[in-house]
Amino acid sequence: MKNTLFTLVPAFAFAMGAWAQVSPEILSERHAMLRLEHNGKYLLLPVEEKQENAHIRVVKDNQLVNTINCRLAVDKVDYYVPYEVHEGEILDIAFAANSRYTGSIKGFTCWNKMQYTDEFTEKTTEKYRPDYHHTPGYGWMNDPNGMFYKDGKWHLCYQWNPYASYWENLSWGHSSSTDLLHWTAEPTALVPDALGMIFSGSAVVDKENTAGFGKDAIVLLYTSARERQTQSMAYSTDGGKTFTKYSGNPILTADIPDFRDPKVFWNEDIKCWNLILASGQEMWIYTSSNLRDWKFESAFGRNYGNHGGVWECPDLMKMKVAGSEEEKWLLICNINPGGPFGGSATQYFVGSFDGHEFKCESAPEVTKWMDYGKDHYATVTFDNAPDGRCVAIAWMSNWQYANQVPTLQFRSANTIARDLGLYSYNGETYCSVKPAVEMDAARGKQIAAPAARCEIVLTLKGDAQITLKNKHGERVTMVYDEEEGTFDMDRRRSGNVSFSDAFPCVTSAPTNGKLRQVRLFVDRCSIEAFDADGKMAMTNLVFPTEPYNRIEIKGKAKAKVYALQ
Ligand code: FRU
């Protein structure tokens, strides 16, 4: 299954054409200026990740128009990122104070390697670039943001650094898809401004023009992040192609250091908008009739669930409990650190919500995790999904090592989309997580052995051990223990595990009953395991030298492997 993003966003085998060297004007031992010339559409900036950030101020007509932090190459180039050239701009570049800089910065590799080009085409040559998972065309990605469905298209924005593959310069990248599998790059939705970087947030389709931007306007609520965090809004009146920031930003402020990630939804029960955001280790709930003026209603979280880290990226939705007509509310609470296997993870609470206050129905000490892998974070759902579905996507990484995973031109992918639901087990209500129905259509013909990308369907009749491996002895072993009611995944010898001490691990999930069918989705650097009935999900990254192409089964299991188209 080809990700159309790759063909649409241009690549790294740049057709160099006329190669024009830049001529920096050196101002001091740490400071240079570069006047941009019209020698190409882009200036390729050479990045060397082990360096410190150079601080680039973009000046035009004597005004500061942008600031960018980028680890410009001093000794060698790891990869390039494109800077779109606007005539008349000056890049005012201050390198970090660093005792290594002896002699003139004139000798830095970046000046020889910076080049103008008209074409910037990414290539999918990196072996860990997933095929059917959403990834940024290049650069760094974390949380999924501003997800909405409209006119047959799923829109997915994301925390994006377009100027390197590590966390910096947070903007909202934007992709769209008609099937949740093939993603097309869209123009950048939001870039940093004087109010700060653009942190996480959400989107709604304003069907009744409550905000006054027009009927069916797409309204984004996001966090503007500087020393403190405030909430801002932007809107689109062309179906999500372009976004305009609201001139009255910020629309919500507080005297709290961690105050971010607004998720907004229309609450039909009270005929009002609700906003939920993360505030320290609580979730704060607001109401509004126009998406601009927000009234604080209540805080949830003190003493409930896990508090091993900061609460982030909330979501709140109403769903029916499977097999009944009863409706309950699911409050999603991402937490970092504090996850069951270290670092980031998604916990959730089930309860009631009257539009003003969320009441958790479980005892305060009960903690429920949505996914028992190590690489599942910042989970949120699409606004306006068809047929009342709750479709979630999570960022497939972990803050413990996200900046170190062994990819270069891009860093991080999102999980496959998942359909969420609720089910009861042993007197508690849990969140069910299934691969989105769109994944069924992707299943191709049965194949003899696992491949770089495939779906493996395990039929279980009792205890079993399933190993995926390659000829180098790299392997991932999964163990189902029926009596214990657990499913484990061991990636300690899965391939490259050395980039972080926090990476090698065994993750373990409670199965909440017997497992009869497990679906494994493999895509170059990830394995996502799902109980077919949704009672268990586990998402883990793996970096094998070569794809696992053998499967070994011990115990009461059978496997069928399918190509994914
Ligand atoms: C979660 C998070 C959010 C924040 C964003 C910044 O991963 O820390 O809370 O808005 O990332 O990139």
Side-chain angles (χ1 to χ4, degrees):
M1 197 173 322
K2 200 81 212 128
N3 190 331
T4 47
L5 182 72
F6 303 142
T7 50
L8 290 184
V9 181
F12 276 87
F14 15 92
M16 291 310 299
W19 188 82
Q21 188 150 12
V22 300
S23 346
E25 295 165 48
I26 306 295
L27 305 179
S28 80
E29 71 278 8
R30 289 203 286 118
H31 194 177
M33 249 183 193
L34 195 64
R35 288 172 212 270
L36 296 190
E37 292 164 32
H38 222 60
N39 286 326
K41 193 167 168 213
Y42 305 106
L43 176 68
L44 296 176
L45 302 176
V47 180
E48 184 181 1
E49 289 208 338
K50 75 169 198 307
Q51 300 301 338
E52 285 183 55
N53 273 319
H55 186 62
I56 307 178
R57 296 163 71 248
V58 183
V59 177
K60 188 168 183 187
D61 295 333
N62 307 296
Q63 300 297 320
L64 180 67
V65 294
N66 201 355
T67 57
I68 295 167
N69 288 321
C70 182
R71 298 180 195 166
L72 290 176
V74 172
D75 299 318
K76 75 173 219 325
V77 181
D78 289 330
Y79 53 86
Y80 292 86
V81 288
Y83 177 78
E84 202 177 320
V85 172
H86 303 104
E87 203 156 14
E89 277 181 356
I90 293 175
L91 303 188
D92 176 278
I93 306 173
F95 289 89
N98 184 327
S99 53
R100 273 180 16 80
Y101 298 169
T102 48
S104 168
I105 55 171
K106 180 101 182 147
F108 284 8
T109 297
C110 57
W111 310 124
N112 295 329
K113 299 289 184 180
M114 260 184 213
Q115 41 213 298
Y116 291 99
T117 178
D118 282 328
E119 288 227 358
F120 171 71
T121 327
E122 299 153 11
K123 267 191 153 178
T124 58
T125 50
E126 275 197 63
K127 68 177 176 185
Y128 297 127
R129 169 84 82 169
D131 267 342
Y132 60 90
H133 286 77
H134 172 262
T135 54
Y138 59 93
W140 162 267
M141 175 172 84
N142 57 296
D143 315 356
N145 294 150
M147 287 154 50
F148 66 96
Y149 177 87
K150 187 167 187 294
D151 303 331
K153 260 196 198 172
W154 303 88
H155 291 260
L156 165 61
C157 297
Y158 50 91
Q159 289 283 280
W160 188 40
N161 178 8
Y163 300 113
S165 302
Y166 48 84
W167 189 92
E168 256 301 343
N169 309 308
L170 274 304
S171 309
W172 277 25
H174 180 191
S175 302
S176 67
S177 171
T178 52
D179 62 3
L180 288 170
L181 281 157
H182 301 82
W183 295 95
T184 301
E186 300 281 352
T188 307
L190 300 172
V191 295
D193 54 35
L195 292 174
M197 292 199 279
I198 315 292
F199 274 16
S200 289
S202 57
V204 287
V205 182
D206 186 10
K207 294 179 181 162
E208 305 299 335
N209 189 19
T210 61
F213 300 128
K215 189 176 153 35
D216 287 332
I218 315 298
V219 180
L220 308 182
L221 275 287
Y222 60 92
T223 300
S224 296
R226 289 183 69 239
E227 296 84 48
R228 286 290 166 132
Q229 300 169 352
T230 60
Q231 316 313 317
S232 294
M233 83 198 280
Y235 58 93
S236 169
T237 51
D238 57 11
K241 282 195 193 68
T242 56
F243 292 92
T244 307
K245 287 178 186 147
Y246 173 55
S247 56
N249 286 337
I251 54 162
L252 192 55
T253 62
D255 179 13
I256 307 269
D258 290 302
F259 180 66
R260 56 179 181 264
D261 310 338
K263 171 74 188 188
V264 181
F265 60 95
W266 176 255
N267 189 338
E268 191 54 32
D269 297 348
I270 54 165
K271 306 254 181 303
C272 223
W273 296 103
N274 272 130
L275 181 152
I276 179 166
L277 57 64
S279 176
Q281 293 193 8
E282 291 183 342
M283 295 306 183
W284 287 13
I285 292 166
Y286 296 77
T287 48
S288 171
S289 58
N290 62 7
L291 289 166
R292 275 177 242 234
D293 305 309
W294 292 97
K295 175 171 176 270
F296 174 79
E297 298 282 349
S298 62
F300 167 76
R302 190 162 296 184
N303 302 325
Y304 274 85
N306 186 298
H307 286 266
V310 175
W311 286 18
E312 301 183 315
C313 303
D315 204 342
L316 185 55
M317 70 215 71
K318 186 164 71 173
M319 286 189 282
K320 273 207 178 111
V321 182
S324 82
E325 284 306 305
E326 195 182 2
E327 289 181 322
K328 292 187 180 182
W329 286 78
L330 174 75
L331 190 156
I332 296 178
C333 168
N334 292 280
I335 176 168
N336 177 54
F341 310 104
S344 14
T346 308
Q347 67 174 328
Y348 65 87
F349 303 91
V350 178
S352 60
F353 179 57
D354 61 2
H356 308 281
E357 193 183 355
F358 175 82
K359 287 196 181 126
C360 178
E361 65 176 28
S362 304
E365 61 277 11
V366 173
T367 299
K368 296 173 181 173
W369 300 105
M370 187 176 280
D371 185 293
Y372 281 86
K374 202 160 164 165
D375 299 297
H376 177 275
Y377 194 55
T379 319
V380 279
T381 60
F382 285 88
D383 183 65
N384 199 36
D387 310 322
R389 289 169 67 190
C390 293
V391 182
I393 287 187
W395 174 48
M396 196 156 55
S397 198
N398 188 313
W399 280 116
Q400 284 184 325
Y401 44 73
N403 280 282
Q404 281 88 44
V405 297
T407 61
L408 273 183
Q409 197 61 78
F410 77 100
R411 247 194 213 108
S412 295
N414 281 314
T415 63
I416 57 169
R418 292 137 187 241
D419 283 318
L420 303 184
L422 293 174
Y423 70 99
S424 305
Y425 177 72
N426 270 358
E428 283 282 347
T429 303
Y430 293 92
C431 175
S432 65
V433 182
K434 294 183 190 171
V437 287
E438 283 76 4
M439 291 312 297
D440 298 350
R443 194 186 277 180
K445 60 176 191 319
Q446 203 178 328
I447 50 177
R453 64 159 205 255
C454 61
E455 180 186 350
I456 302 171
V457 178
L458 302 171
T459 306
L460 299 164
K461 293 226 166 86
D463 290 0
Q465 176 178 307
I466 304 102
T467 303
L468 297 179
K469 56 187 188 177
N470 64 20
K471 67 169 189 279
H472 304 291
E474 296 166 348
R475 65 187 101 142
V476 175
T477 301
M478 286 157 271
V479 175
Y480 171 51
D481 185 326
E482 187 147 299
E483 204 180 307
E484 285 292 315
T486 53
F487 181 89
D488 295 357
M489 197 187 291
D490 180 347
R491 69 171 178 197
R492 287 174 299 179
R493 278 182 266 166
S494 54
N496 183 352
V497 298
S498 62
F499 53 89
S500 161
D501 289 348
F503 189 78
C505 66
V506 183
T507 58
S508 181
T511 56
N512 286 358
K514 287 182 182 167
L515 291 184
R516 284 298 163 250
Q517 195 182 81
V518 169
R519 297 174 72 183
L520 303 175
F521 289 88
V522 179
D523 192 3
R524 295 187 191 277
C525 68
S526 62
I527 302 176
E528 290 160 279
F530 298 91
D531 164 39
D533 293 332
K535 292 179 301 178
M536 183 245 5
M538 183 179 285
T539 303
N540 282 319
L541 292 176
V542 285
F543 297 97
T545 316
E546 278 178 29
Y548 309 117
N549 57 3
R550 294 177 215 177
I551 185 165
E552 189 184 272
I553 294 184
K554 291 183 185 154
K556 296 180 181 156
K558 288 210 165 90
K560 282 188 179 170
V561 186
Y562 296 93
L564 279 172
Q565 44 204 2

